[in-house]
Amino acid sequence: MSTTSVPGSLPAIDAADGTAVRVIAVASGKGGVGKTNIAVNLALALAQTGESVLLMDADLGMANVDVMLNIRPQYDLYHVITGEKTLDEVIIEGPLGVGIIPAASGIGRMADLSVHEHAGLIHAFDEIGRRVDTLVVDTAAGISDSVVSFSRAAQEVLVVVCDEPASITDAYALIKVLSLEHGIRRFQILANMVNDAEHGRRLYARLANVAGSFLDVSLGYVGAIPLDERLKQAVRQQSPVLLSYPHSPSGVAFQVLGKRIKGLPRLPAASGHLGFFIERSSKAQQVAGGVRP
Ligand SMILES: Nc1ncnc2c1ncn2[C@@H]1O[C@H](COP(=O)(O)OP(=O)(O)OP(=O)(O)O)[C@@H](O)[C@H]1O
Ligand SMILES: [Mg+2]
Protein backbone atom coordinates (compact mmCIF):
# COMPACT_ATOMS: atom_id res chain seq x y z
CA MET A 1 0.00 0.00 0.00
CA SER A 2 1.38 3.37 -0.92
CA THR A 3 1.14 6.37 1.37
CA THR A 4 1.44 10.10 0.97
CA SER A 5 1.81 12.84 3.53
CA VAL A 6 1.86 16.60 3.88
CA PRO A 7 3.07 18.77 6.71
CA GLY A 8 0.73 18.81 9.64
CA SER A 9 -1.09 15.58 9.05
CA LEU A 10 -0.76 11.86 9.16
CA PRO A 11 0.10 9.95 6.04
CA ALA A 12 -2.99 9.33 3.95
CA ILE A 13 -3.74 5.78 2.91
CA ASP A 14 -4.30 5.59 -0.80
CA ALA A 15 -7.57 4.15 -1.91
CA ALA A 16 -7.71 1.43 -4.52
CA ASP A 17 -7.91 3.90 -7.41
CA GLY A 18 -4.88 5.86 -6.25
CA THR A 19 -6.85 8.77 -4.82
CA ALA A 20 -6.80 9.64 -1.14
CA VAL A 21 -9.02 7.93 1.36
CA ARG A 22 -12.28 9.79 1.51
CA VAL A 23 -12.83 10.72 5.14
CA ILE A 24 -16.44 11.61 5.95
CA ALA A 25 -17.11 13.12 9.37
CA VAL A 26 -20.74 12.88 10.46
CA ALA A 27 -21.53 15.79 12.78
CA SER A 28 -24.55 17.77 13.91
CA GLY A 29 -24.02 20.15 16.79
CA LYS A 30 -27.17 18.97 18.53
CA GLY A 31 -27.27 15.49 20.03
CA GLY A 32 -29.74 12.77 19.19
CA VAL A 33 -30.47 13.83 15.61
CA GLY A 34 -29.34 10.53 14.08
CA LYS A 35 -25.56 10.78 13.53
CA THR A 36 -24.74 7.25 14.63
CA ASN A 37 -27.54 5.70 12.59
CA ILE A 38 -26.44 7.70 9.58
CA ALA A 39 -22.75 6.85 10.01
CA VAL A 40 -23.46 3.13 10.39
CA ASN A 41 -25.96 2.84 7.55
CA LEU A 42 -23.96 5.09 5.24
CA ALA A 43 -20.88 2.94 5.82
CA LEU A 44 -22.91 -0.14 4.92
CA ALA A 45 -24.49 1.53 1.89
CA LEU A 46 -21.05 2.49 0.59
CA ALA A 47 -19.87 -1.08 1.15
CA GLN A 48 -22.84 -2.25 -0.92
CA THR A 49 -21.55 -0.16 -3.80
CA GLY A 50 -18.30 -2.13 -3.68
CA GLU A 51 -16.21 0.27 -1.64
CA SER A 52 -13.87 -0.87 1.07
CA VAL A 53 -15.07 1.02 4.15
CA LEU A 54 -13.87 1.72 7.65
CA LEU A 55 -16.28 3.03 10.29
CA MET A 56 -14.73 4.81 13.21
CA ASP A 57 -16.56 5.52 16.44
CA ALA A 58 -15.21 8.88 17.52
CA ASP A 59 -17.89 9.56 20.10
CA LEU A 60 -15.50 9.14 22.96
CA GLY A 61 -17.95 10.02 25.67
CA MET A 62 -20.63 7.56 24.68
CA ALA A 63 -19.53 4.97 22.19
CA ASN A 64 -22.62 4.00 20.21
CA VAL A 65 -21.51 2.20 17.10
CA ASP A 66 -20.78 -1.04 18.97
CA VAL A 67 -24.21 -0.93 20.61
CA MET A 68 -25.91 -0.32 17.29
CA LEU A 69 -24.09 -3.24 15.70
CA ASN A 70 -24.32 -5.45 18.77
CA ILE A 71 -20.60 -6.00 18.98
CA ARG A 72 -18.48 -6.06 22.11
CA PRO A 73 -14.99 -4.93 21.26
CA GLN A 74 -12.28 -6.28 23.48
CA TYR A 75 -9.80 -3.71 22.28
CA ASP A 76 -10.20 -0.17 20.95
CA LEU A 77 -8.25 2.91 19.93
CA TYR A 78 -7.02 3.29 23.46
CA HIS A 79 -4.99 0.10 23.09
CA VAL A 80 -3.63 1.40 19.81
CA ILE A 81 -2.56 4.64 21.46
CA THR A 82 -0.89 2.85 24.32
CA GLY A 83 0.89 0.63 21.83
CA GLU A 84 -0.66 -2.60 23.10
CA LYS A 85 -2.36 -3.30 19.76
CA THR A 86 -2.02 -2.32 16.12
CA LEU A 87 -4.91 -0.67 14.36
CA ASP A 88 -5.43 -3.83 12.35
CA GLU A 89 -5.74 -5.78 15.57
CA VAL A 90 -8.53 -3.61 16.98
CA ILE A 91 -10.55 -3.40 13.76
CA ILE A 92 -13.61 -5.62 14.00
CA GLU A 93 -15.04 -7.12 10.85
CA GLY A 94 -18.57 -5.74 10.70
CA PRO A 95 -21.39 -6.56 8.28
CA LEU A 96 -20.64 -6.39 4.55
CA GLY A 97 -16.92 -6.34 5.33
CA VAL A 98 -17.04 -2.88 6.94
CA GLY A 99 -14.12 -2.56 9.35
CA ILE A 100 -15.16 -1.07 12.68
CA ILE A 101 -12.70 0.97 14.74
CA PRO A 102 -14.16 1.03 18.26
CA ALA A 103 -14.05 4.24 20.27
CA ALA A 104 -11.20 4.84 22.67
CA SER A 105 -13.26 4.41 25.78
CA GLY A 106 -10.34 5.01 28.11
CA ILE A 107 -9.77 8.57 26.92
CA GLY A 108 -11.94 11.52 27.77
CA ARG A 109 -10.75 14.00 25.19
CA MET A 110 -8.63 13.70 22.10
CA ALA A 111 -6.98 16.96 23.06
CA ASP A 112 -5.59 15.24 26.13
CA LEU A 113 -3.48 12.86 24.11
CA SER A 114 0.20 13.19 24.84
CA VAL A 115 2.89 13.62 22.23
CA HIS A 116 3.83 10.00 22.69
CA GLU A 117 0.23 8.93 22.09
CA HIS A 118 0.04 11.06 18.95
CA ALA A 119 3.10 9.33 17.66
CA GLY A 120 1.56 5.94 18.37
CA LEU A 121 -1.47 6.82 16.29
CA ILE A 122 0.56 8.12 13.36
CA HIS A 123 2.35 4.85 13.26
CA ALA A 124 -0.90 2.94 13.59
CA PHE A 125 -2.54 4.56 10.56
CA ASP A 126 0.66 4.28 8.57
CA GLU A 127 0.77 0.56 9.11
CA ILE A 128 -2.83 -0.24 8.32
CA GLY A 129 -2.82 -3.35 6.21
CA ARG A 130 -6.00 -3.11 4.19
CA ARG A 131 -7.36 -1.21 1.27
CA VAL A 132 -9.52 1.72 2.38
CA ASP A 133 -11.69 3.74 0.01
CA THR A 134 -13.75 5.59 2.59
CA LEU A 135 -13.50 6.18 6.31
CA VAL A 136 -16.80 7.20 7.92
CA VAL A 137 -16.37 8.89 11.31
CA ASP A 138 -19.25 9.08 13.78
CA THR A 139 -18.53 12.14 15.93
CA ALA A 140 -19.92 13.28 19.25
CA ALA A 141 -22.61 15.89 19.73
CA GLY A 142 -21.45 19.43 20.43
CA ILE A 143 -18.38 21.29 19.15
CA SER A 144 -15.65 19.67 21.20
CA ASP A 145 -11.99 19.49 20.20
CA SER A 146 -12.48 15.99 18.90
CA VAL A 147 -15.36 17.05 16.62
CA VAL A 148 -13.20 19.90 15.31
CA SER A 149 -10.20 17.62 14.78
CA PHE A 150 -12.18 14.98 12.92
CA SER A 151 -13.94 17.60 10.81
CA ARG A 152 -10.62 19.21 9.91
CA ALA A 153 -9.28 15.85 8.89
CA ALA A 154 -12.27 15.04 6.73
CA GLN A 155 -12.84 15.66 3.05
CA GLU A 156 -16.55 15.85 3.63
CA VAL A 157 -18.26 17.13 6.75
CA LEU A 158 -21.77 15.72 6.73
CA VAL A 159 -23.98 17.88 8.93
CA VAL A 160 -27.16 16.14 10.06
CA VAL A 161 -30.22 18.28 10.80
CA CYS A 162 -33.78 17.53 11.77
CA ASP A 163 -36.87 19.67 12.13
CA GLU A 164 -36.24 21.14 15.55
CA PRO A 165 -35.21 24.74 16.08
CA ALA A 166 -32.24 23.67 18.24
CA SER A 167 -31.02 21.33 15.50
CA ILE A 168 -30.87 24.15 12.96
CA THR A 169 -29.29 26.66 15.36
CA ASP A 170 -26.75 24.11 16.64
CA ALA A 171 -25.86 23.03 13.09
CA TYR A 172 -25.38 26.70 12.22
CA ALA A 173 -23.17 27.19 15.29
CA LEU A 174 -21.08 24.17 14.31
CA ILE A 175 -20.66 25.41 10.73
CA LYS A 176 -19.81 28.89 12.01
CA VAL A 177 -17.07 27.64 14.33
CA LEU A 178 -15.63 25.25 11.75
CA SER A 179 -15.57 27.93 9.07
CA LEU A 180 -14.49 31.00 11.04
CA GLU A 181 -12.01 29.34 13.37
CA HIS A 182 -10.81 26.40 11.29
CA GLY A 183 -11.19 27.44 7.67
CA ILE A 184 -13.59 24.67 6.66
CA ARG A 185 -15.73 26.04 3.85
CA ARG A 186 -17.49 23.01 2.40
CA PHE A 187 -20.31 21.16 4.10
CA GLN A 188 -22.83 18.56 3.03
CA ILE A 189 -26.23 18.78 4.65
CA LEU A 190 -28.38 15.74 5.33
CA ALA A 191 -31.92 16.13 6.67
CA ASN A 192 -33.07 13.36 8.98
CA MET A 193 -36.49 12.29 10.27
CA VAL A 194 -38.36 14.11 7.53
CA ASN A 195 -41.95 13.53 6.42
CA ASP A 196 -41.19 13.77 2.72
CA ALA A 197 -38.61 15.04 0.25
CA GLU A 198 -40.01 18.56 0.30
CA HIS A 199 -39.69 18.67 4.08
CA GLY A 200 -35.98 17.82 3.77
CA ARG A 201 -35.40 20.51 1.15
CA ARG A 202 -37.10 23.10 3.36
CA LEU A 203 -34.82 22.26 6.28
CA TYR A 204 -31.80 22.56 4.03
CA ALA A 205 -33.07 25.88 2.67
CA ARG A 206 -33.49 27.28 6.19
CA LEU A 207 -29.93 26.45 7.11
CA ALA A 208 -28.52 27.49 3.73
CA ASN A 209 -30.29 30.86 3.88
CA VAL A 210 -28.87 31.84 7.25
CA ALA A 211 -25.41 30.40 6.50
CA GLY A 212 -25.38 32.10 3.11
CA SER A 213 -26.22 35.45 4.70
CA PHE A 214 -23.60 35.41 7.43
CA LEU A 215 -20.85 32.94 6.54
CA ASP A 216 -18.48 32.35 3.67
CA VAL A 217 -19.35 28.68 3.19
CA SER A 218 -20.71 26.37 0.53
CA LEU A 219 -23.48 24.03 1.64
CA GLY A 220 -24.41 21.07 -0.54
CA TYR A 221 -27.56 19.05 -0.02
CA VAL A 222 -27.15 15.29 -0.09
CA GLY A 223 -30.77 14.45 0.61
CA ALA A 224 -32.94 13.20 3.41
CA ILE A 225 -33.73 10.16 5.51
CA PRO A 226 -37.43 9.81 6.34
CA LEU A 227 -38.81 9.46 9.83
CA ASP A 228 -39.26 5.71 9.91
CA GLU A 229 -40.62 3.41 12.59
CA ARG A 230 -38.56 0.60 11.05
CA LEU A 231 -35.39 2.49 11.89
CA LYS A 232 -36.41 2.72 15.54
CA GLN A 233 -37.22 -0.97 15.49
CA ALA A 234 -33.83 -1.73 13.97
CA VAL A 235 -32.13 0.29 16.72
CA ARG A 236 -33.94 -1.76 19.34
CA GLN A 237 -32.88 -4.95 17.58
CA GLN A 238 -29.27 -3.73 17.39
CA SER A 239 -29.22 -4.36 13.67
CA PRO A 240 -28.80 -1.51 11.13
CA VAL A 241 -32.00 -0.71 9.24
CA LEU A 242 -30.25 -1.10 5.91
CA LEU A 243 -29.70 -4.77 6.70
CA SER A 244 -32.81 -5.62 8.70
CA TYR A 245 -35.33 -3.61 6.65
CA PRO A 246 -33.67 -2.79 3.33
CA HIS A 247 -37.01 -2.03 1.67
CA SER A 248 -38.23 0.29 4.39
CA PRO A 249 -38.36 4.03 3.57
CA SER A 250 -35.16 4.74 5.50
CA GLY A 251 -33.44 1.60 4.17
CA VAL A 252 -34.10 2.73 0.60
CA ALA A 253 -33.04 6.30 1.44
CA PHE A 254 -29.70 5.06 2.80
CA GLN A 255 -29.05 3.18 -0.43
CA VAL A 256 -29.72 6.37 -2.38
CA LEU A 257 -27.48 8.31 0.02
CA GLY A 258 -24.64 5.80 -0.41
CA LYS A 259 -24.74 6.18 -4.18
CA ARG A 260 -24.89 9.96 -3.92
CA ILE A 261 -21.94 10.17 -1.54
CA LYS A 262 -19.98 7.77 -3.69
CA GLY A 263 -20.67 10.05 -6.65
CA LEU A 264 -19.27 13.18 -4.98
CA PRO A 265 -15.99 14.18 -6.58
CA ARG A 266 -13.00 12.86 -4.74
CA LEU A 267 -10.56 15.54 -3.75
CA PRO A 268 -6.88 15.31 -4.63
CA ALA A 269 -4.75 13.02 -2.50
CA ALA A 270 -3.26 15.85 -0.46
CA SER A 271 -6.67 16.77 0.94
CA GLY A 272 -7.61 13.51 2.56
CA HIS A 273 -5.75 12.66 5.70
CA LEU A 274 -6.16 10.56 8.72
CA GLY A 275 -4.37 13.29 10.60
CA PHE A 276 -6.96 13.63 13.29
CA PHE A 277 -4.74 13.86 16.26
CA ILE A 278 -1.66 15.53 14.99
CA GLU A 279 -2.56 18.82 13.41
CA ARG A 280 -1.61 20.96 16.35
CA SER A 281 1.45 19.00 17.39
CA SER A 282 4.50 19.37 15.21
CA LYS A 283 6.52 17.94 18.05
CA ALA A 284 4.62 14.69 17.78
CA GLN A 285 5.66 14.38 14.15
CA GLN A 286 9.29 14.64 15.13
CA VAL A 287 8.76 11.86 17.62
CA ALA A 288 7.15 9.80 14.89
CA GLY A 289 10.10 10.27 12.59
CA GLY A 290 9.05 13.47 10.86
CA VAL A 291 7.04 14.13 7.73
CA ARG A 292 8.26 12.30 4.72
CA PRO A 293 8.59 14.02 1.35
N1 LIG B 1 -34.84 8.49 10.43
C1 LIG B 1 -35.25 8.19 11.67
N2 LIG B 1 -36.52 7.72 11.88
C2 LIG B 1 -36.95 7.42 13.11
N3 LIG B 1 -36.22 7.54 14.21
C3 LIG B 1 -34.95 7.99 14.08
C4 LIG B 1 -34.39 8.32 12.82
N4 LIG B 1 -33.12 8.72 13.00
C5 LIG B 1 -32.89 8.62 14.32
N5 LIG B 1 -33.98 8.18 14.98
C6 LIG B 1 -34.14 7.97 16.43
O1 LIG B 1 -33.26 8.82 17.11
C7 LIG B 1 -32.47 8.07 18.01
C8 LIG B 1 -31.10 8.68 18.11
O2 LIG B 1 -30.36 8.38 16.94
P1 LIG B 1 -28.76 8.34 16.96
O3 LIG B 1 -28.27 7.59 18.12
O4 LIG B 1 -28.34 7.88 15.61
O5 LIG B 1 -28.49 9.89 17.15
P2 LIG B 1 -27.09 10.60 17.44
O6 LIG B 1 -27.13 11.91 16.75
O7 LIG B 1 -25.96 9.68 17.11
O8 LIG B 1 -27.15 10.80 19.02
P3 LIG B 1 -25.92 11.27 19.98
O9 LIG B 1 -25.78 12.76 19.74
O10 LIG B 1 -26.43 10.94 21.35
O11 LIG B 1 -24.72 10.49 19.58
C9 LIG B 1 -32.49 6.65 17.46
O12 LIG B 1 -32.32 5.70 18.47
C10 LIG B 1 -33.83 6.54 16.83
O13 LIG B 1 -34.77 6.15 17.81
MG1 LIG C 1 -24.32 9.02 18.28
Side-chain angles (χ1 to χ4, degrees):
M1 180 179 300
S2 61
T3 59
T4 57
S5 62
V6 297
S9 71
L10 286 174
I13 308 165
D14 286 1
D17 60 0
T19 59
V21 174
R22 192 207 302 270
V23 181
I24 302 172
V26 182
S28 66
K30 187 180 182 305
V33 300
K35 290 179 298 300
T36 301
N37 271 281
I38 284 158
V40 168
N41 287 289
L42 171 60
L44 293 168
L46 285 168
Q48 278 184 340
T49 71
E51 288 203 359
S52 179
V53 183
L54 280 182
L55 170 62
M56 182 173 188
D57 189 346
D59 190 341
L60 303 173
M62 273 175 275
N64 284 161
V65 169
D66 49 352
V67 178
M68 202 150 289
L69 291 169
N70 197 15
I71 53 175
R72 289 172 191 77
Q74 199 179 351
Y75 302 105
D76 57 43
L77 266 186
Y78 181 76
H79 301 95
V80 177
I81 292 160
T82 58
E84 289 167 66
K85 294 283 164 194
T86 66
L87 198 50
D88 286 323
E89 285 171 332
V90 306
I91 291 174
I92 293 173
E93 292 305 318
L96 307 182
V98 171
I100 316 292
I101 306 176
S105 49
I107 296 170
R109 279 156 38 94
M110 279 297 168
D112 292 340
L113 296 187
S114 70
V115 167
H116 182 71
E117 290 163 340
H118 278 146
L121 268 174
I122 294 170
H123 191 63
F125 277 101
D126 203 14
E127 297 276 295
I128 200 163
R130 62 199 284 158
R131 181 189 126 203
V132 183
D133 297 315
T134 300
L135 168 64
V136 179
V137 183
D138 178 27
T139 71
I143 316 177
S144 60
D145 285 353
S146 75
V147 173
V148 168
S149 295
F150 287 112
S151 299
R152 287 178 59 149
Q155 285 189 352
E156 304 288 356
V157 181
L158 196 64
V159 180
V160 182
V161 292
C162 66
D163 195 358
E164 288 176 30
S167 168
I168 301 291
T169 54
D170 290 3
Y172 176 77
L174 174 75
I175 291 168
K176 184 176 174 185
V177 168
L178 291 177
S179 61
L180 292 183
E181 294 178 21
H182 304 283
I184 299 173
R185 298 270 178 263
R186 219 168 90 99
F187 299 87
Q188 303 293 345
I189 309 303
L190 176 69
N192 189 24
M193 304 192 230
V194 299
N195 301 325
D196 51 39
E198 177 53 29
H199 187 193
R201 275 193 292 271
R202 276 203 312 274
L203 284 181
Y204 165 70
R206 257 158 67 191
L207 186 57
N209 280 344
V210 60
S213 303
F214 299 107
L215 303 173
D216 178 20
V217 292
S218 120
L219 301 194
Y221 181 55
V222 285
I225 307 295
L227 179 69
D228 186 0
E229 195 49 45
R230 287 290 197 209
L231 186 145
K232 289 183 199 282
Q233 222 173 320
V235 168
R236 286 195 291 271
Q237 294 165 352
Q238 291 183 277
S239 171
V241 71
L242 187 63
L243 301 181
S244 36
Y245 304 107
H247 304 298
S248 64
S250 59
V252 170
F254 278 119
Q255 290 166 46
V256 172
L257 176 69
K259 292 191 184 111
R260 196 165 292 162
I261 296 283
K262 185 175 173 141
L264 290 176
R266 279 182 177 268
L267 300 180
S271 304
H273 308 291
L274 300 172
F276 307 130
F277 316 105
I278 192 64
E279 295 176 303
R280 280 162 283 147
S281 176
S282 57
K283 216 172 159 194
Q285 288 174 43
Q286 289 158 18
V287 174
V291 175
R292 287 165 300 159

